[in-house]
Amino acid sequence: MDAAWSAAEIATAVNERRVSAEQVCVGALERAGVRGADCNAFISLMTDRALIRAREVDAKVRSDVTPLPLAGVPIAIKDNIATLFGTTTAGSRVLSVYRAPYDATVIERLEQAGVIIIGKTNLDEFAMGSSNEHSAYGSVANPWNPDCVSGGSSGGSAAVVATGVVPVALGSDTGGSIRLPAAFCGVAGLRPTYGRVSRYGLIAFASSLDQIGPLARSVCDVALILSAIAGHDPRDATSADEVVPDYAETLNDDHVATRLRTLKIGLPAEYFNEVLDQEVRSALNAAIEIYRELGVEITTVSLPHTKYALATYYLIATAEASANLARYDGVHFGSRADGARDFPELNAATRTEFLGAEVKRRIMLGTFVLSAGYHERYYDKACGVRGLIQNDFSSAFANCDILLAPTSPTSAFRLGERADDPLQMYGSDVHTVAASLAGLPAISIPCGQTQAGLPIGMQLIGRPFAETVLLQAARAYERATRWYQMQPGDQS
Amino acid sequence: MADGANTIDVERVRHLARLARLKLTDDELRQHAAGLGAILEAFRDIEQVDTSNVTPLPLPRGSASAGREDVAHTPLSHARALANGPDTRDGLFLVPRIFQRSQND
C-alpha cells in the first residue's frame, strides 16, 4: 500500500476487498518503526493488537454487506486519550504504567467505524506546551527539519501524519494544541466546537477548553474522522445534543461551489499586526488572493480584545489545571513515591518526583490565580474578559461567515530556542487561544512554505457548530493549491 | 492580601507550594517567585479591562451542561477501579497513616 493513500481511499479499497486491512496495517506499522521513530513521534505502538484488529475488520468486510465507513484506516491516537489496551501516559512520568480502565468515547466510535489504532503519540506532558519539548518521553522532531520543533502539544500526531505513517490521527486542543503542530508540520488540523466531540476519556488539562479533534493530510479526511467522532455523549455533561452532518458528503464539488457563491471571509485586523513574520504574512496574502479569485467576498473585521486573549487563556487554563491535576496524589492510580512516612508527605513526594517542570509551573500559577485574595483579581477578571472576547467574535460574525488568520506568527522554531523562556513559549499560542476561549471551531491548513522549507499554516475560525462551512472553505482552498500534497523530502 | 504590584515573594511561593502539594527547594522557591512574577507582570494589562457590563464566562457561552437522567447504571467494577492502585489490600487503597499518634497515646 502506498503511503500517500488517503483515509477515504483506504476505506473504499478495503470495503471493495481490493486490499486487506491487514496489508494496510502492516505498511503503517513498518513506516511507524522507521519514520515515526526518526521523529520520536510515538510513545507506544500497538503492533500485535493492531494486526488482530485488522484481521477482524477483514473478516467483517467479508461477512457484512454494510460497508464500514473507516474500514481498515490506520490511525494514531494522542496519548492523553484513554484506551483500554496498552498504556495511556499523557506524556507524564506519573502515568508511565497507567492502564486506562475504559475506552474514551472517540475510541469506541472510531473502532466501530473500522479504524485500526496503530499506536499512541507523543505530546507535551498533560498537553501543556507549544513545542512538544515538555514530554517526559523526549521532544518530537519536526519532519521537515529535525532541528526544529514539531509544535505542541499534539506534536506526535502531526508528525506521523506529515510523514505519511498514517493518513489521520487524533489530537486534543486546549489553546491551540491541534492547530499549532498542524501548522508547523504542514498538515490539516481541526479544533471542533466546544461540545461537538465527547471529552469522555480525554485526560483533563483545562475542562472548559479541552476538545478532541482530527489531524489529516487532506480536509476530506478531517471531515471523515469528524463525522465518526462527533455527536452527543451522555457520559460528557458538556457534550452538545446537536445533529451531526455527514461532513465528508458536504465536501463534494457541488456543495463547495454553492458555498463559495455566498461565502464572506473576515480578516481580523488585530491578527495581522507587527508580530507577524513577513513570510507568514506573504503566504496569507497569497491565500486571500486565491479566495478572491474563487469569487469569495473579503472584508476586514475587528476583534478589539485580542491583545488580552493570551493572558486570559493562561490564567483560566492554569487555574483549571491546578484543580484537575490534584488527582495525581499517589493514591488511586499512577506512580507513587517510595518511603513517605505519612499521607501528606506521600502526596507531595509523589507529585514532586513524577511531575515535570512546566506542569509544576502551571500548577503553581493556577494555584495562585485561585488563592484567597487573588481569585477575584485574576480568575474572575479573566472570565469577564473571556465574555468580551466571545462578544467580539459574535459581532464579527454579524459581518462575515468565517475568519481567516495566521495559525501562529512564525513557522516552526528551533528546538531549545524558547525552552527557557515560558513567556516566549506562551507567545506561540497568541493566534489560537481566542477561538478556544470562545469555544469556536477552527482549522489550520497548510498555505505555503518559508525560504528555509518549513510549512506555514492558515487558520479559519467559524461560528459555533459551523464546521461544515469551515471545512468547505478549507476544501475550496485546498483544491485550488498544492500545499497540502507536499511532504517532507519534496523539493518545493 | 492582594496588593498593587505583581510581585510574588518567596513566602507566598512557599504557601502556594504547600497548597499545591509540591516540595520545592529554596532555589526552586526563588526561581518560581521570579518566574511567576514575570508572568503576572506580562499579564497585568487585563486588570485595566472594564468587565463591569459583561457576564463572566467560566465556560463558553451556550455550552451544554446537562445532567444525566437519574437512573442507576453499572459503574466500573471494583476490581477494575482498583487495578491501577499503587498499593491495595482487601479491596481498598492502602496509604500511610493520615494522623500521627500524639505522645500520650
Side-chain angles (χ1 to χ4, degrees):
Chain A
M1 193 213 98
D2 192 325
W5 277 29
S6 70
E9 287 166 337
I10 292 169
T12 305
V14 171
N15 277 315
E16 290 173 359
R17 294 168 61 185
R18 284 185 280 118
V19 63
S20 72
E22 186 175 355
Q23 284 171 281
V24 175
C25 181
V26 167
L29 286 167
E30 277 173 11
R31 292 190 295 274
V34 182
R35 299 183 209 169
D38 285 348
C39 297
N40 192 34
F42 284 100
I43 289 178
S44 56
L45 285 176
M46 310 286 181
T47 308
D48 294 345
R49 184 178 182 278
L51 290 167
I52 291 167
R53 276 274 310 154
R55 286 178 209 123
E56 284 171 6
V57 166
D58 284 328
K60 209 162 166 26
V61 166
R62 278 194 299 272
S63 61
D64 284 11
V65 276
T66 321
L68 289 166
L70 297 170
V73 172
I75 194 169
I77 304 291
K78 188 176 181 180
D79 205 19
N80 61 349
I81 298 173
T83 49
L84 198 45
F85 49 91
T87 52
T88 300
T89 69
S92 181
R93 285 182 64 225
V94 80
L95 292 179
S96 59
V97 294
Y98 175 66
R99 301 178 78 85
Y102 54 85
D103 275 329
T105 297
V106 292
I107 300 297
E108 280 182 7
R109 290 186 177 174
L110 284 171
E111 292 206 321
Q112 276 162 17
V115 306
I116 310 299
I117 294 168
I118 66 154
K120 306 287 292 284
T121 54
N122 203 342
L123 68 155
D124 286 294
E125 184 174 4
F126 290 111
M128 295 181 189
S130 312
S131 67
N132 220 125
E133 291 171 290
H134 300 308
S135 167
Y137 303 87
S139 55
V140 175
N142 190 300
W144 299 80
N145 179 344
D147 296 329
C148 290
V149 301
S150 59
S153 64
S154 312
S157 290
V160 294
V161 172
T163 51
V165 172
V166 284
V168 286
L170 283 192
S172 69
D173 189 310
T174 304
S177 281
I178 288 173
R179 291 163 284 161
L180 194 63
F184 284 5
C185 292
V187 302
L190 173 74
R191 173 198 167 83
T193 308
Y194 185 75
R196 174 78 294 185
V197 175
S198 170
R199 291 184 294 113
Y200 181 75
L202 172 64
I203 292 180
F205 158 14
S207 307
S208 82
L209 296 153
D210 297 341
Q211 265 295 282
I212 295 173
L215 296 100
R217 272 204 307 283
S218 74
V219 173
C220 294
D221 278 357
V222 167
L224 205 57
I225 298 299
L226 183 63
S227 290
I229 62 174
H232 183 242
D233 176 14
R235 293 178 296 187
D236 170 4
T238 59
S239 158
D241 200 356
E242 295 271 338
V243 176
V244 181
D246 180 343
Y247 291 107
E249 159 66 19
T250 67
L251 296 185
N252 75 34
D253 291 354
D254 288 349
H255 289 314
V256 172
T258 306
R259 175 69 61 192
L260 286 180
R261 278 200 284 278
T262 58
L263 188 69
K264 197 166 170 187
I265 292 182
L267 306 176
E270 293 80 3
Y271 283 66
F272 292 85
N273 62 9
E274 63 284 353
V275 303
L276 194 57
D277 181 88
Q278 196 51 49
E279 286 185 296
V280 177
R281 184 187 301 270
S282 303
L284 286 168
N285 286 340
I288 293 163
E289 237 5 84
I290 300 251
Y291 276 116
R292 278 210 178 90
E293 286 164 19
L294 290 170
V296 173
E297 186 181 345
I298 309 281
T299 185
T300 301
V301 296
S302 178
L303 301 168
H305 295 91
T306 297
K307 63 179 168 182
Y308 306 115
L310 201 63
T312 303
Y313 169 79
Y314 274 95
L315 292 171
I316 290 173
T318 57
E320 293 184 24
S322 72
N324 273 329
L325 271 64
R327 68 191 60 163
Y328 303 102
D329 57 3
V331 176
H332 302 95
F333 51 81
S335 306
R336 170 186 284 194
D338 292 330
R341 284 166 295 134
D342 58 30
F343 188 73
E345 192 189 324
L346 172 76
N347 296 161
T350 296
R351 293 164 65 76
T352 303
E353 181 175 344
F354 293 103
L355 296 177
E358 179 60 23
V359 169
K360 286 178 186 164
R361 187 191 337 269
R362 295 195 192 196
I363 289 174
M364 290 292 284
L365 179 58
T367 304
F368 173 74
V369 165
L370 292 179
S371 63
Y374 295 91
H375 188 286
E376 286 183 8
R377 180 170 159 191
Y378 290 107
Y379 179 73
D380 291 357
K381 189 72 181 181
C383 288
V385 180
R386 186 180 194 174
L388 295 170
I389 288 168
Q390 191 157 3
N391 290 349
D392 283 356
F393 280 110
S394 302
S395 306
F397 284 130
N399 297 311
C400 62
D401 301 305
I402 59 170
L403 301 167
L404 185 157
T407 306
S408 186
T410 67
S411 54
F413 46 89
R414 296 183 84 76
L415 282 158
E417 188 182 307
R418 300 184 187 178
D420 298 329
D421 184 350
L423 278 168
Q424 209 194 354
M425 186 68 87
Y426 299 168
S428 315
D429 307 339
V430 68
H431 295 322
T432 49
V433 290
S436 292
L437 287 165
L440 301 174
I443 190 169
S444 178
I445 54 172
C447 74
Q449 270 192 11
T450 63
Q451 291 283 322
L454 289 167
I456 295 171
M458 160 169 76
Q459 182 179 209
L460 303 173
I461 304 169
R463 298 187 182 107
F465 300 102
E467 279 84 357
T468 300
V469 186
L470 272 192
L471 293 166
Q472 288 174 330
R475 174 66 190 140
Y477 174 81
E478 193 177 78
R479 248 186 4 187
T481 60
R482 286 284 165 265
W483 297 114
Y484 82 104
Q485 290 174 332
M486 299 197 62
Q487 284 202 268
D490 291 351
Q491 296 301 311
S492 58
Chain B
M1 205 191 107
D3 53 29
N6 285 297
T7 53
I8 297 191
D9 62 23
V10 167
E11 281 318 303
R12 168 125 338 249
V13 174
R14 202 187 300 278
H15 173 65
L16 293 174
R18 205 159 40 235
L19 292 175
R21 307 283 186 272
L22 291 170
K23 292 197 286 190
L24 300 181
T25 64
D26 285 348
D27 267 357
E28 287 169 332
L29 288 172
R30 277 192 293 275
Q31 284 162 15
H32 275 285
L36 295 180
I39 291 171
L40 292 170
E41 183 60 30
F43 290 174
R44 70 181 310 169
D45 275 2
I46 81 157
E47 295 183 53
Q48 315 308 321
V49 183
D50 180 4
T51 50
S52 52
N53 290 316
V54 64
T55 312
L57 290 185
L59 276 175
R61 194 175 298 132
S63 321
S65 188
R68 65 172 177 83
E69 280 192 55
D70 189 14
V71 180
H73 63 113
T74 313
L76 285 183
S77 70
H78 201 144
R80 213 173 244 198
L82 283 165
N84 276 287
D87 199 0
T88 60
R89 188 187 297 168
D90 304 331
L92 301 167
F93 293 106
L94 200 63
V95 294
R97 64 174 65 251
I98 293 177
F99 299 107
Q100 295 297 329
R101 275 191 196 139
S102 74
Q103 299 274 321
N104 300 329
D105 282 348

